[in-house]
Amino acid sequence: MKSDTTHSTFAQPEAETAVYLFDDWFDPIETCVRDRVREFIQAMIEGELDATLLRPRYGRLAKHAAADKVVPSAVGHRHGRRSRSLTGTFGRVEIEVPRARLEGANGKTTEWQSKVLRAYQRRTLAADALIASTYLSGTNTRRVRRALKALFGGAVSKDTVSRIWRKVKADWESWNARSLADEPIVRLILDGTVVRVRLDRKATSISLLIVIGVRADGQKVLLAVKSMGGETTEAWRAVLDDLIKRGLRRPEFLIVDGATGLEQAIAAVWEGVPVQRCTVHKHRNLLAHAPERLHDEVTADYTDMIYAATPTEIAARRKAFLRKWRLKCKPVADSLEEAGDRLFTFTRLLPSQWRSARTTNAIERLHEEFKRRIKTQTVLPSADTAAMLFWALLASGQINMRKVDGWQTLATKTIDKPIDLAA
């Protein structure tokens, strides 16, 4: 037995004509302002054309100008108008752009092009910046349209967002090639983070290698962010070689996460520079080597050692830590010994600098904020996009970096002779 079913043909039109929240919030101030904006833009373009032809519409060259033999910047004639849609921070407006033909020296005529409103321009630069900022704040390309609907009247699509984002690439490439010779860098913080990107139509995890510099005045600055397959020696060496090629000075102090590839790359280019292993990363290593029931005890002993007030106290507590955990859980003691004296290099600095020198937290906080911003996108379009997005969050001011703790004493040199911390 057949059952006849009917499909409503009115479902789609009803959805299109549905009234949503804010749709009926009429504001006479906004409406009046947009009308005035339209008039102002048209008057500005008309004035530009008048200055080019040295006469207003339907006008001739002024008598005093003819007497003084003032030559117009271009010879030509007007020929109507054309409608253009322009979207700015004031919303979307329809304007009438004047047209003109200019006579060239070879006798041929060319179409006049306004410098105020570029050919094929549909949005102001301020509108593009607003769209890009909304995208950087954590909204994916499809949701930007909904986020800015009230302002732009739905004139922004995901493709528009993608095109605007590609405009950022020129600034990104310029930043990557800039000279570092004038950067007064005294300290480097190096670490990597893993992000998922689309490669060959598959979601793939890659490493972003991040380098933050600390200037002599204590201000942190992003120096490099490179997309690499992993944190290998070759990958880190390529990053460091690029920094040196662009004029980066030999740093006085390095803070690393303890990756073998990074330490080998550093040894190849900056042998003899004091290197600090991140104490937070080592803490995680210790917990990974201990059963869960001992985690609190390991943490308490490790914290007492790392955050002791003086180098002498740190040395004494390190020896006590190793004696205790060699008997209680040998893998924990072995993991601490693996780091060696590099875990305590911060004691060669003044105590006021210890807090900022013990860890790579400056980069870790950036990693967390970066991943929070890309959470809505799950998988980024490409490896280059991932690196560029990380840079843009800082370059646009959406993420700010403050000065390091103890910056007032950065000019003080490190202790030449390491303190004996051997067990």
Side-chain angles (χ1 to χ4, degrees), residues 21-27:
L21 182 64
F22 310 131
D23 284 355
D24 58 348
W25 286 22
F26 174 76
D27 190 333

Side-chain angles (χ1 to χ4, degrees), residues 173-291:
E173 292 174 347
S174 176
W175 180 82
N176 271 317
R178 77 199 187 287
S179 172
L180 300 175
D182 296 329
E183 282 284 5
I185 300 299
V186 297
R187 184 183 298 178
L188 291 183
I189 309 171
L190 307 96
D191 196 5
T193 187
V194 177
V195 295
R196 290 177 66 79
V197 301
R198 190 175 293 108
L199 294 176
D200 296 329
R201 300 184 179 181
K202 293 182 180 179
T204 306
S205 296
I206 65 163
S207 292
L208 289 182
L209 305 187
I210 316 295
V211 180
I212 289 179
V214 179
R215 292 175 177 150
D217 64 356
Q219 180 61 53
K220 289 174 288 191
V221 57
L222 182 66
L223 295 179
V225 49
K226 301 288 186 181
S227 58
M228 298 292 184
E231 295 190 54
T232 63
T233 302
E234 294 75 16
W236 273 114
R237 181 63 187 271
V239 174
L240 299 181
D241 285 345
D242 178 67
L243 292 175
I244 294 172
K245 181 181 177 181
R246 290 191 280 129
L248 181 67
R249 305 173 187 174
R250 179 184 173 91
E252 299 173 4
F253 196 83
L254 300 170
I255 307 173
V256 302
D257 62 354
T260 304
L262 173 57
E263 295 200 0
Q264 291 176 352
I266 288 173
V269 297
W270 289 319
E271 185 179 0
V273 176
V275 178
Q276 168 66 42
R277 283 276 297 270
C278 176
T279 57
V280 172
H281 281 78
K282 177 48 66 177
H283 179 216
R284 295 171 188 162
N285 295 152
L286 297 181
L287 296 181
H289 287 85

Side-chain angles (χ1 to χ4, degrees), residues 20-153:
Y20 298 101
L21 182 64
F22 310 131
D23 284 355
D24 58 348
W25 286 22
F26 174 76
D27 190 333
I29 296 177
E30 287 281 351
T31 302
C32 183
V33 167
R34 292 192 184 191
D35 288 340
R36 292 297 178 90
V37 165
R38 181 187 299 108
E39 295 172 5
F40 176 77
I41 295 174
Q42 291 185 177
M44 185 165 51
I45 298 174
E46 286 280 4
E48 182 187 9
L49 181 55
D50 291 348
T52 301
L53 299 177
L54 213 62
R55 64 179 187 273
R57 191 181 184 189
Y58 303 123
R60 296 187 178 186
L61 191 64
K63 290 183 178 180
H64 68 276
D68 297 337
K69 295 183 180 180
V70 176
V71 180
S73 58
V75 177
H77 61 276
R78 301 168 185 266
H79 65 107
R81 297 168 177 268
R82 64 173 176 271
S83 297
R84 288 276 296 273
S85 174
L86 182 66
T87 301
T89 54
F90 43 78
R92 185 179 182 182
V93 296
E94 297 291 334
I95 58 177
E96 294 293 325
V97 180
R99 302 180 64 183
R101 299 290 296 181
L102 304 181
E103 297 179 8
N106 56 3
K108 295 183 178 180
T109 61
T110 58
E111 184 75 15
W112 171 74
Q113 297 292 342
S114 171
K115 294 181 181 179
V116 173
L117 184 64
R118 303 184 309 276
Y120 307 108
Q121 182 180 355
R122 293 293 179 267
R123 295 173 308 277
T124 64
L125 293 178
D128 284 352
L130 178 59
I131 294 169
S133 298
T134 305
Y135 174 67
L136 287 173
S137 66
T139 304
N140 62 27
T141 54
R142 295 179 182 275
R143 294 178 182 173
V144 170
R145 179 175 185 174
R146 281 175 276 174
L148 299 177
K149 180 182 177 181
L151 179 61
F152 295 139

Side-chain angles (χ1 to χ4, degrees), residues 140 195-198 203 373-380:
N140 62 27
V195 295
R196 290 177 66 79
V197 301
R198 190 175 293 108
R373 300 298 177 97
I374 65 174
K375 187 177 180 180
T376 58
Q377 295 173 257
T378 309
V379 179
L380 294 171

